Amino acid sequence: MVSLWDAFVSARRSLAAMGVAEADLEARELAAYAAGLEARDTVGWKTTRLTPDAAHRLQAFLERRAKDEPLAYILGEWDFYGNRFAVRPGVLIPRGDTEWLCDAAVQAAREMDQPRVLDLCCGSGCIGISIALAVPEAQVTLLDCSETALDIATRNAASYQLKEPRLKILRGNALQPDSLDGILDIVVSNPPYITAQEMRELDRSVSAYEPHLALYGGVDGLDFYRAMAQAPAFCLAEGGRLFAECGWKQGRQVMDIFTAAGWHDVHLRRDLAGVPRILCAVK
């Protein structure tokens, strides 16, 4: 039997040959997952022997990665805002840039007394659940139209022992006006915003595996912003705040949509890369 370290080095070499940009990170994650260990702790890997079963699992993972399957789906989980969430095909993989959207909502919620928060188009629930964990007095609702997403969000909420009244999970259509009862203080959303042209140009790791329902935002990618601004599925209190992620080229158009619909203090915040793509607006 080879050592876990040797298996990691071999996996790194294979991933690099596939053109994987972060071959070292991915090899570490896959080798640890195959062996049932934590990727963060590599102490002892040179003396730890990889069992035949673990070696077989690692090879299977590499074969899946060679077909462009995202690492997150192979691992079945992904980190977001300091928390870990289950993911699988049918829900969007949380992105690091979206943590800045989540943080904007967290900071706003911390300024309110028992804020009522909606995570619209919640997917895995990573944003809404992270807000509930960061702001214990918040009452958070997760809303999505996908049964798969709601199943995963329910699983993630249970893993953090979150349940009503602190957190509710509902099925609903973000494009259907007044589909959610109750008045809210904060709405946060990472809606579908990929245009028809961009959908044809997506990397295979996205187009072949991640749900198109969570990606496609209409011909110009702006369907969900028009709905939120003009005929929302929710009722936001006067002075309530909305935060939404948008595409890196869509900021000005999204701002214009909300400004024309009568929203106030409409502006953009920058993400981790310094790109202005987090819409902020006040009802």
Side-chain angles (χ1 to χ4, degrees), residues 17-270:
M18 296 175 200
V20 174
E22 297 184 308
D24 188 89
L25 180 149
E26 294 202 15
R28 195 178 306 274
E29 291 283 350
L30 292 175
Y33 186 41
L37 299 173
E38 279 290 331
R40 296 172 178 83
D41 183 10
T42 59
V43 175
W45 276 27
K46 290 186 177 180
T47 56
T48 299
R49 296 299 166 186
L50 199 67
T51 67
D53 284 347
H56 183 267
R57 286 192 294 270
L58 179 56
Q59 182 58 37
F61 296 156
L62 292 172
E63 290 172 3
R64 291 168 64 182
R65 196 66 186 90
K67 296 176 182 177
D68 295 319
E69 183 174 352
L71 175 66
Y73 288 154
I74 297 173
L75 299 176
E77 60 185 20
W78 205 242
D79 290 342
F80 179 85
Y81 205 69
N83 307 305
R84 183 161 290 189
F85 295 94
V87 294
R88 65 179 175 87
V91 296
L92 201 66
I93 298 169
R95 265 67 171 183
D97 284 344
T98 304
E99 292 184 353
W100 292 78
L101 168 68
C102 182
D103 191 64
V106 165
Q107 298 308 319
R110 285 175 172 164
E111 298 172 357
M112 301 178 182
D113 181 31
Q114 296 184 322
R116 297 157 296 183
V117 182
L118 170 65
D119 179 0
L120 187 67
C121 305
C122 70
S124 66
C126 62
I127 297 174
I129 291 172
S130 292
I131 294 170
L133 294 172
V135 189
E137 64 271 23
Q139 297 178 1
V140 179
T141 298
L142 310 182
L143 186 78
D144 207 292
C145 65
S146 164
E147 287 290 353
T148 300
L150 294 176
D151 287 345
I152 293 295
T154 299
R155 174 179 167 186
N156 283 323
S159 72
Y160 288 105
Q161 292 82 51
L162 290 171
K163 55 186 177 181
E164 294 193 44
R166 286 195 61 199
L167 187 133
K168 294 190 294 185
I169 301 174
L170 302 175
R171 184 176 186 181
N173 188 342
L175 298 176
Q176 180 65 45
D178 301 317
S179 63
L180 182 67
D181 294 331
I183 299 175
L184 300 158
D185 300 301
I186 295 173
V187 172
V188 59
S189 182
N190 180 17
Y193 55 73
I194 305 298
T195 68
Q197 178 62 35
E198 289 169 339
M199 289 294 292
R200 292 190 285 270
E201 300 169 352
L202 288 173
D203 185 84
R204 173 176 158 74
S205 64
V206 177
S207 64
Y209 292 96
E210 298 202 62
H212 288 200
L213 183 66
L215 297 169
Y216 182 56
V219 174
D220 63 359
L222 302 175
D223 285 359
F224 286 81
Y225 305 101
R226 294 190 187 95
M228 287 189 286
Q230 301 164 2
F234 50 84
C235 181
L236 191 59
E238 290 298 319
R241 303 175 70 177
L242 180 141
F243 303 92
E245 184 171 303
C246 61
W248 67 277
K249 294 186 290 186
Q250 296 171 322
R252 174 51 59 182
Q253 293 170 291
V254 173
M255 286 179 63
D256 289 346
I257 289 170
F258 277 82
T259 300
W263 291 70
H264 303 287
D265 192 21
V266 179
H267 63 282
L268 295 173
R269 294 187 186 179
R270 298 179 183 273

